[in-house]
Amino acid sequence: MSAYDAIAELYDPWSASVTEDIGFYRDEARRASGTVVELGVGTGRIAVPLAADGARVIGVDSSRRMLEVCARRAALAGVELDLRVGDLRDPPVDERVPLVICPFRSYLHLHTDAERGQGLGAARELLVPGGRLVFDVFSPGADDIAETNGRWLEREPGVWERADWDEDLRTLTLSVRGDEGESTMTLAWISADEWRALLVEAGFEVEACYGWFDRRPFGGGEDSVWIARRSS
Ligand SMILES: C[S@@+](CC[C@H](N)C(=O)[O-])C[C@H]1O[C@@H](n2cnc3c(N)ncnc32)[C@H](O)[C@@H]1O
């Protein structure tokens, strides 16, 4: 069971206003001009627009319910996705591709450096030499923690979210509830410097680290958007 199974029907209303990353990932898929593997594909928020733009997308996710919603969304949009149940640390994909993406902070579901290393190593294995891994993560600022800690906030109409931050453990226990379901999950963050070191250790060269999807350089803010190239 995945914590996302219980909120598969709530996920799209919950993330309705998250659109800023779609054009960025679409542009990266165009640049790659080949099959894209999305790790943690969820309900296809990114994968469906990429497929509608002409990309072949293989989507891997550990939540069967999220994949069911994704398949429905793809059918509604009239696009085909190759959806596979599996763990992003050991994705059930044999082929080698020019682009692997892991959007919307899915790597924060990996809690230790060992798990992050497995995740990055698995992404590297999927890539042809010179292929790219593109993902985004965050590391919260003190203001964000102070503003949101322990409070139920209405993120979207009828969708409530509560963040419980642990700054010592660097974990966020995130709860969400709405008419379509509720769940609680724990995310773990590390700094951008730590992500860089893990990428190099896993066999990547960092091509770019942006501070947002408009490709502004990373300047120490909460969000970081990474383009990493398989080094050999
Ligand atoms: C924040 S959602 C992102 C979904 C989608 N990429 C998007 O941008 O909307 C995280 C997704 O990662 C999946 N996930 C979490 N841990 C995973 C794991 N170890 N292996 C595969 N999928 C995982 C969840 O089921 C969920 O669908």
Side-chain angles (χ1 to χ4, degrees):
M1 279 290 284
S2 154
Y4 280 86
D5 285 332
I7 51 160
E9 299 294 339
L10 187 64
Y11 185 83
D12 287 346
W14 183 26
S15 59
S17 56
V18 183
T19 54
E20 62 274 0
D21 50 356
I22 297 171
F24 172 84
Y25 283 104
R26 190 199 51 225
D27 290 348
E28 290 302 319
R30 282 182 185 169
R31 194 175 146 202
S33 63
T35 297
V36 180
V37 173
E38 181 174 351
L39 299 172
V41 68
T43 60
R45 192 183 61 81
I46 299 288
V48 168
L50 262 51
D53 195 50
R56 175 176 178 243
V57 184
I58 300 173
V60 175
D61 204 284
S62 53
S63 165
R64 286 181 187 276
R65 296 288 320 284
M66 291 288 275
L67 290 180
E68 283 166 18
V69 177
C70 187
R72 212 167 62 210
R73 189 174 183 166
L76 274 175
V79 298
E80 273 192 34
L81 295 176
D82 182 344
L83 299 177
R84 306 182 189 184
V85 181
D87 195 297
L88 59 80
R89 289 165 292 180
D90 186 17
V93 180
D94 290 329
E95 53 200 282
R96 297 296 170 256
V97 300
L99 179 64
V100 173
I101 62 174
C102 190
F104 205 17
R105 308 162 170 181
S106 297
Y107 276 147
L108 299 190
H109 289 289
L110 304 177
H111 285 202
T112 63
D113 277 352
E115 290 183 358
R116 293 177 196 107
Q118 285 172 349
L120 296 177
R124 184 182 180 281
E125 280 302 302
L126 293 173
L127 289 168
V128 296
R132 289 171 303 119
L133 167 65
V134 181
F135 67 98
D136 61 275
V137 286
F138 86 97
S139 173
D143 289 359
D144 191 15
I145 292 177
E147 264 169 40
T148 60
N149 191 40
R151 298 173 56 207
W152 281 102
L153 300 169
E154 193 171 20
R155 165 67 80 112
E156 296 291 341
V159 185
W160 294 80
E161 182 185 286
R162 174 181 164 141
D164 290 284
W165 306 92
D166 185 323
E167 288 185 82
D168 294 328
L169 291 177
R170 294 195 291 178
T171 58
L172 160 62
T173 302
L174 189 62
S175 302
V176 58
R177 66 180 189 216
D179 288 344
E180 293 96 339
E182 60 181 89
S183 192
T184 295
M185 60 191 77
T186 301
L187 308 175
W189 75 85
I190 58 175
S191 68
D193 284 346
E194 290 168 297
W195 277 112
R196 186 180 293 274
L198 286 172
L199 281 165
V200 171
E201 202 175 307
F204 287 99
E205 283 165 18
V206 175
E207 191 178 288
C209 174
Y210 301 120
W212 193 239
F213 299 101
D214 58 7
R215 300 179 192 264
R216 74 184 71 160
F218 177 70
E222 294 198 328
D223 295 281
S224 56
V225 184
W226 296 84
I227 300 186
R229 184 177 293 279
R230 180 180 165 149
S231 41
S232 59

